[in-house]
Amino acid sequence: MVFKKMLSAFGVGGPSVDTVLTNPNTRPGLALDGHVNLVGGDAPARIEQITLGLVTRVEIEGGDTEYAGVMEFHRMPVSGAFELAPKQQLAIPFQMPVPWETPVTDVYGQRLRGMTMGLRTELAVARAVDKSDLDQVSVHPLPIHERILDAFQALGFRFKHADLERGHIYGVPQTLPFYQEIEFFAAPQYAQTVNEVELTFVTSQQGVEVILECDKRGGFLSAGHDAFGRYSIPHSDAARTDWTQVVDGWLRETTSRYGGLRAQGFGAPHGHPGYPGHHGHRGSGMGGMMAGAALGVAGGLVAGEMLEDAFEGDDGGDFGEE
């Protein structure tokens, strides 16, 4: 009996957990539905709590170094304490809201190279090792995102890479401790003035803040520099705008001014010499402190490769892959 209790404390013969999503595909502002399936172990167990969390891979800058880790950015309890009998089978339904600012992972049915997302289930068992489960999630763009991404493709931009950067963008209301950068190689008609363009969406229930960062080429008598633009777009505009023309206008307007742009809904220009931030427009002060706190509260940071390793074998391909 003592030996069995010892094994149970190490998770041997204890309860198991398996989360099954009704559909692993979702969009910002929608929800993920499914069931948390439990099977009791060899002995009765007291389940203290069942919790779901959305996790993703985030780039972290610290001093002169940059590294990647897995951050939990949204958390929801599914169940409080209860007793699970030996071999008892239990299915607990859930509906987990997906935050509006959740980054996009899939476009045109393909994974954005550099992006990964998972739903982690934590089963807290009294006097025993906690159990967990991890399921891959695909976040697809909203209509407003799709129109803008379609415009980049129509203008000839080629997708390069996407990632998440810890921190906050100066002057933009943000609830998550990171932002997404979707990077493109310059289209031919912009190639003489721009090397690359980074696109960021910060989405809310009302609409989306679109932030552009253009890596401008240097000239014979001038050095290269970044130019920035910010635009506020309501969701209702998605269906009634010529987005190719709009995005082309944004890009030409952004790159026509040195270091910044007073765009729609934007006060001070990005890239101002006195502005503290990452790449001239990313906030590093209080935003960085808040992001660091969120890492601790949300369950900490682990090696960035672990999330990808958990989904090994998923061979759906990457958007932009040649």
mmCIF file of all heavy atoms in Angstrom, residues 27-28 30 100 140-150 201 208 234-239 243:
data_model
loop_
_atom_site.group_PDB
_atom_site.id
_atom_site.type_symbol
_atom_site.label_atom_id
_atom_site.label_comp_id
_atom_site.label_asym_id
_atom_site.label_seq_id
_atom_site.Cartn_x
_atom_site.Cartn_y
_atom_site.Cartn_z
ATOM 1 N N ARG A 27 -10.989 32.054 -34.919
ATOM 2 C CA ARG A 27 -10.594 33.411 -35.303
ATOM 3 C C ARG A 27 -10.589 34.286 -34.060
ATOM 4 O O ARG A 27 -11.243 33.961 -33.062
ATOM 5 C CB ARG A 27 -11.567 33.992 -36.340
ATOM 6 C CG ARG A 27 -11.657 33.222 -37.643
ATOM 7 C CD ARG A 27 -12.653 33.885 -38.597
ATOM 8 N NE ARG A 27 -12.995 33.008 -39.712
ATOM 9 C CZ ARG A 27 -12.330 32.932 -40.850
ATOM 10 N NH1 ARG A 27 -11.266 33.707 -41.024
ATOM 11 N NH2 ARG A 27 -12.704 32.122 -41.810
ATOM 12 N N PRO A 28 -9.865 35.390 -34.091
ATOM 13 C CA PRO A 28 -9.892 36.308 -32.957
ATOM 14 C C PRO A 28 -11.325 36.745 -32.639
ATOM 15 O O PRO A 28 -12.108 37.043 -33.529
ATOM 16 C CB PRO A 28 -9.055 37.498 -33.440
ATOM 17 C CG PRO A 28 -8.127 36.922 -34.469
ATOM 18 C CD PRO A 28 -8.937 35.858 -35.162
ATOM 19 N N LEU A 30 -13.686 34.864 -31.446
ATOM 20 C CA LEU A 30 -14.608 33.735 -31.404
ATOM 21 C C LEU A 30 -14.283 32.862 -30.181
ATOM 22 O O LEU A 30 -13.836 33.367 -29.175
ATOM 23 C CB LEU A 30 -14.526 32.940 -32.711
ATOM 24 C CG LEU A 30 -14.909 33.704 -33.981
ATOM 25 C CD1 LEU A 30 -14.902 32.776 -35.191
ATOM 26 C CD2 LEU A 30 -16.276 34.363 -33.840
ATOM 27 N N TRP A 100 -9.523 39.032 -28.683
ATOM 28 C CA TRP A 100 -9.516 39.734 -29.958
ATOM 29 C C TRP A 100 -8.099 39.943 -30.479
ATOM 30 O O TRP A 100 -7.867 39.963 -31.684
ATOM 31 C CB TRP A 100 -10.218 41.083 -29.816
ATOM 32 C CG TRP A 100 -11.701 40.976 -29.774
ATOM 33 C CD1 TRP A 100 -12.505 40.949 -28.664
ATOM 34 C CD2 TRP A 100 -12.592 40.863 -30.891
ATOM 35 N NE1 TRP A 100 -13.817 40.819 -29.018
ATOM 36 C CE2 TRP A 100 -13.908 40.770 -30.388
ATOM 37 C CE3 TRP A 100 -12.403 40.833 -32.274
ATOM 38 C CZ2 TRP A 100 -15.019 40.653 -31.213
ATOM 39 C CZ3 TRP A 100 -13.514 40.711 -33.101
ATOM 40 C CH2 TRP A 100 -14.800 40.626 -32.571
ATOM 41 N N HIS A 140 -7.279 31.786 -37.629
ATOM 42 C CA HIS A 140 -7.408 32.321 -38.981
ATOM 43 C C HIS A 140 -7.777 33.806 -38.926
ATOM 44 O O HIS A 140 -8.362 34.276 -37.951
ATOM 45 C CB HIS A 140 -8.444 31.523 -39.759
ATOM 46 C CG HIS A 140 -8.110 30.073 -39.898
ATOM 47 N ND1 HIS A 140 -7.443 29.564 -40.994
ATOM 48 C CD2 HIS A 140 -8.309 29.019 -39.057
ATOM 49 C CE1 HIS A 140 -7.270 28.259 -40.843
ATOM 50 N NE2 HIS A 140 -7.779 27.904 -39.668
ATOM 51 N N PRO A 141 -7.462 34.559 -39.971
ATOM 52 C CA PRO A 141 -7.721 35.996 -39.951
ATOM 53 C C PRO A 141 -9.200 36.329 -40.010
ATOM 54 O O PRO A 141 -10.005 35.581 -40.575
ATOM 55 C CB PRO A 141 -6.983 36.507 -41.193
ATOM 56 C CG PRO A 141 -6.800 35.324 -42.068
ATOM 57 C CD PRO A 141 -6.751 34.123 -41.186
ATOM 58 N N LEU A 142 -9.543 37.484 -39.432
ATOM 59 C CA LEU A 142 -10.870 38.049 -39.597
ATOM 60 C C LEU A 142 -10.979 38.674 -40.998
ATOM 61 O O LEU A 142 -9.958 38.883 -41.667
ATOM 62 C CB LEU A 142 -11.107 39.113 -38.526
ATOM 63 C CG LEU A 142 -11.238 38.597 -37.092
ATOM 64 C CD1 LEU A 142 -11.130 39.752 -36.101
ATOM 65 C CD2 LEU A 142 -12.566 37.862 -36.909
ATOM 66 N N PRO A 143 -12.190 38.989 -41.451
ATOM 67 C CA PRO A 143 -12.333 39.579 -42.793
ATOM 68 C C PRO A 143 -11.464 40.808 -43.022
ATOM 69 O O PRO A 143 -10.864 40.950 -44.100
ATOM 70 C CB PRO A 143 -13.830 39.923 -42.855
ATOM 71 C CG PRO A 143 -14.475 38.888 -41.991
ATOM 72 C CD PRO A 143 -13.508 38.657 -40.867
ATOM 73 N N ILE A 144 -11.346 41.698 -42.041
ATOM 74 C CA ILE A 144 -10.530 42.896 -42.222
ATOM 75 C C ILE A 144 -9.057 42.535 -42.396
ATOM 76 O O ILE A 144 -8.339 43.120 -43.206
ATOM 77 C CB ILE A 144 -10.728 43.890 -41.051
ATOM 78 C CG1 ILE A 144 -10.090 45.231 -41.346
ATOM 79 C CG2 ILE A 144 -10.215 43.302 -39.753
ATOM 80 C CD1 ILE A 144 -10.760 46.009 -42.428
ATOM 81 N N HIS A 145 -8.590 41.521 -41.651
ATOM 82 C CA HIS A 145 -7.213 41.046 -41.821
ATOM 83 C C HIS A 145 -7.015 40.466 -43.218
ATOM 84 O O HIS A 145 -6.002 40.725 -43.883
ATOM 85 C CB HIS A 145 -6.875 39.962 -40.793
ATOM 86 C CG HIS A 145 -7.045 40.373 -39.367
ATOM 87 N ND1 HIS A 145 -7.467 39.501 -38.383
ATOM 88 C CD2 HIS A 145 -6.839 41.556 -38.753
ATOM 89 C CE1 HIS A 145 -7.516 40.135 -37.234
ATOM 90 N NE2 HIS A 145 -7.140 41.379 -37.428
ATOM 91 N N GLU A 146 -7.988 39.656 -43.648
ATOM 92 C CA GLU A 146 -7.870 38.992 -44.950
ATOM 93 C C GLU A 146 -7.771 40.003 -46.087
ATOM 94 O O GLU A 146 -6.979 39.838 -47.012
ATOM 95 C CB GLU A 146 -9.071 38.073 -45.178
ATOM 96 C CG GLU A 146 -9.059 36.825 -44.305
ATOM 97 C CD GLU A 146 -10.274 35.946 -44.545
ATOM 98 O OE1 GLU A 146 -11.284 36.474 -45.078
ATOM 99 O OE2 GLU A 146 -10.220 34.751 -44.220
ATOM 100 N N ARG A 147 -8.590 41.065 -46.010
ATOM 101 C CA ARG A 147 -8.569 42.061 -47.079
ATOM 102 C C ARG A 147 -7.206 42.736 -47.177
ATOM 103 O O ARG A 147 -6.688 42.976 -48.276
ATOM 104 C CB ARG A 147 -9.651 43.124 -46.847
ATOM 105 C CG ARG A 147 -11.067 42.611 -46.753
ATOM 106 C CD ARG A 147 -11.531 41.897 -48.019
ATOM 107 N NE ARG A 147 -12.930 41.492 -47.901
ATOM 108 C CZ ARG A 147 -13.340 40.332 -47.385
ATOM 109 N NH1 ARG A 147 -12.454 39.470 -46.923
ATOM 110 N NH2 ARG A 147 -14.632 40.047 -47.322
ATOM 111 N N ILE A 148 -6.630 43.044 -46.037
ATOM 112 C CA ILE A 148 -5.328 43.724 -46.032
ATOM 113 C C ILE A 148 -4.226 42.775 -46.487
ATOM 114 O O ILE A 148 -3.351 43.149 -47.281
ATOM 115 C CB ILE A 148 -5.045 44.307 -44.631
ATOM 116 C CG1 ILE A 148 -6.069 45.410 -44.317
ATOM 117 C CG2 ILE A 148 -3.619 44.845 -44.535
ATOM 118 C CD1 ILE A 148 -6.034 45.910 -42.893
ATOM 119 N N LEU A 149 -4.260 41.520 -46.033
ATOM 120 C CA LEU A 149 -3.264 40.537 -46.471
ATOM 121 C C LEU A 149 -3.415 40.253 -47.968
ATOM 122 O O LEU A 149 -2.410 40.096 -48.677
ATOM 123 C CB LEU A 149 -3.408 39.252 -45.656
ATOM 124 C CG LEU A 149 -2.995 39.351 -44.180
ATOM 125 C CD1 LEU A 149 -3.453 38.113 -43.414
ATOM 126 C CD2 LEU A 149 -1.496 39.536 -44.052
ATOM 127 N N ASP A 150 -4.662 40.181 -48.446
ATOM 128 C CA ASP A 150 -4.892 40.001 -49.880
ATOM 129 C C ASP A 150 -4.285 41.150 -50.677
ATOM 130 O O ASP A 150 -3.719 40.954 -51.763
ATOM 131 C CB ASP A 150 -6.396 39.931 -50.173
ATOM 132 C CG ASP A 150 -7.020 38.618 -49.740
ATOM 133 O OD1 ASP A 150 -6.269 37.676 -49.452
ATOM 134 O OD2 ASP A 150 -8.266 38.546 -49.684
ATOM 135 N N PHE A 201 -1.112 43.807 -36.665
ATOM 136 C CA PHE A 201 -2.519 44.044 -36.363
ATOM 137 C C PHE A 201 -2.704 44.048 -34.846
ATOM 138 O O PHE A 201 -2.252 43.119 -34.171
ATOM 139 C CB PHE A 201 -3.410 42.927 -36.934
ATOM 140 C CG PHE A 201 -3.413 42.818 -38.438
ATOM 141 C CD1 PHE A 201 -3.080 41.622 -39.056
ATOM 142 C CD2 PHE A 201 -3.770 43.893 -39.228
ATOM 143 C CE1 PHE A 201 -3.104 41.494 -40.434
ATOM 144 C CE2 PHE A 201 -3.792 43.791 -40.613
ATOM 145 C CZ PHE A 201 -3.460 42.592 -41.224
ATOM 146 N N VAL A 208 -9.475 47.354 -36.028
ATOM 147 C CA VAL A 208 -8.075 46.939 -35.962
ATOM 148 C C VAL A 208 -7.173 48.152 -36.151
ATOM 149 O O VAL A 208 -7.452 49.030 -36.970
ATOM 150 C CB VAL A 208 -7.770 45.848 -37.029
ATOM 151 C CG1 VAL A 208 -8.054 46.340 -38.428
ATOM 152 C CG2 VAL A 208 -6.340 45.354 -36.912
ATOM 153 N N PRO A 234 -12.287 50.315 -38.807
ATOM 154 C CA PRO A 234 -13.399 49.545 -38.214
ATOM 155 C C PRO A 234 -13.652 48.266 -39.000
ATOM 156 O O PRO A 234 -13.369 48.184 -40.203
ATOM 157 C CB PRO A 234 -14.590 50.507 -38.328
ATOM 158 C CG PRO A 234 -14.249 51.397 -39.473
ATOM 159 C CD PRO A 234 -12.751 51.544 -39.474
ATOM 160 N N HIS A 235 -14.184 47.242 -38.318
ATOM 161 C CA HIS A 235 -14.481 45.975 -38.985
ATOM 162 C C HIS A 235 -15.453 46.166 -40.145
ATOM 163 O O HIS A 235 -15.398 45.437 -41.141
ATOM 164 C CB HIS A 235 -15.080 44.979 -37.984
ATOM 165 C CG HIS A 235 -14.093 44.472 -36.975
ATOM 166 N ND1 HIS A 235 -13.028 43.662 -37.311
ATOM 167 C CD2 HIS A 235 -14.008 44.668 -35.633
ATOM 168 C CE1 HIS A 235 -12.325 43.377 -36.219
ATOM 169 N NE2 HIS A 235 -12.906 43.973 -35.191
ATOM 170 N N SER A 236 -16.344 47.145 -40.026
ATOM 171 C CA SER A 236 -17.366 47.354 -41.052
ATOM 172 C C SER A 236 -16.788 47.773 -42.403
ATOM 173 O O SER A 236 -17.460 47.677 -43.431
ATOM 174 C CB SER A 236 -18.372 48.409 -40.580
ATOM 175 O OG SER A 236 -17.714 49.629 -40.268
ATOM 176 N N ASP A 237 -15.533 48.240 -42.410
ATOM 177 C CA ASP A 237 -14.914 48.663 -43.669
ATOM 178 C C ASP A 237 -14.440 47.496 -44.528
ATOM 179 O O ASP A 237 -14.101 47.685 -45.704
ATOM 180 C CB ASP A 237 -13.705 49.572 -43.393
ATOM 181 C CG ASP A 237 -14.125 51.024 -43.168
ATOM 182 O OD1 ASP A 237 -15.345 51.269 -43.100
ATOM 183 O OD2 ASP A 237 -13.246 51.883 -43.051
ATOM 184 N N ALA A 238 -14.417 46.292 -43.956
ATOM 185 C CA ALA A 238 -13.805 45.153 -44.656
ATOM 186 C C ALA A 238 -14.434 44.891 -46.012
ATOM 187 O O ALA A 238 -13.737 44.585 -46.989
ATOM 188 C CB ALA A 238 -13.896 43.900 -43.787
ATOM 189 N N ALA A 239 -15.748 45.022 -46.118
ATOM 190 C CA ALA A 239 -16.440 44.606 -47.340
ATOM 191 C C ALA A 239 -16.627 45.725 -48.350
ATOM 192 O O ALA A 239 -17.112 45.471 -49.453
ATOM 193 C CB ALA A 239 -17.797 44.015 -46.979
ATOM 194 N N TRP A 243 -9.084 47.590 -51.114
ATOM 195 C CA TRP A 243 -7.967 47.485 -50.180
ATOM 196 C C TRP A 243 -6.608 47.542 -50.869
ATOM 197 O O TRP A 243 -5.636 47.978 -50.264
ATOM 198 C CB TRP A 243 -8.105 46.227 -49.332
ATOM 199 C CG TRP A 243 -9.139 46.435 -48.269
ATOM 200 C CD1 TRP A 243 -10.399 45.923 -48.214
ATOM 201 C CD2 TRP A 243 -9.000 47.298 -47.135
ATOM 202 N NE1 TRP A 243 -11.057 46.399 -47.105
ATOM 203 C CE2 TRP A 243 -10.225 47.242 -46.425
ATOM 204 C CE3 TRP A 243 -7.983 48.108 -46.647
ATOM 205 C CZ2 TRP A 243 -10.442 47.967 -45.257
ATOM 206 C CZ3 TRP A 243 -8.187 48.831 -45.475
ATOM 207 C CH2 TRP A 243 -9.404 48.752 -44.791
#
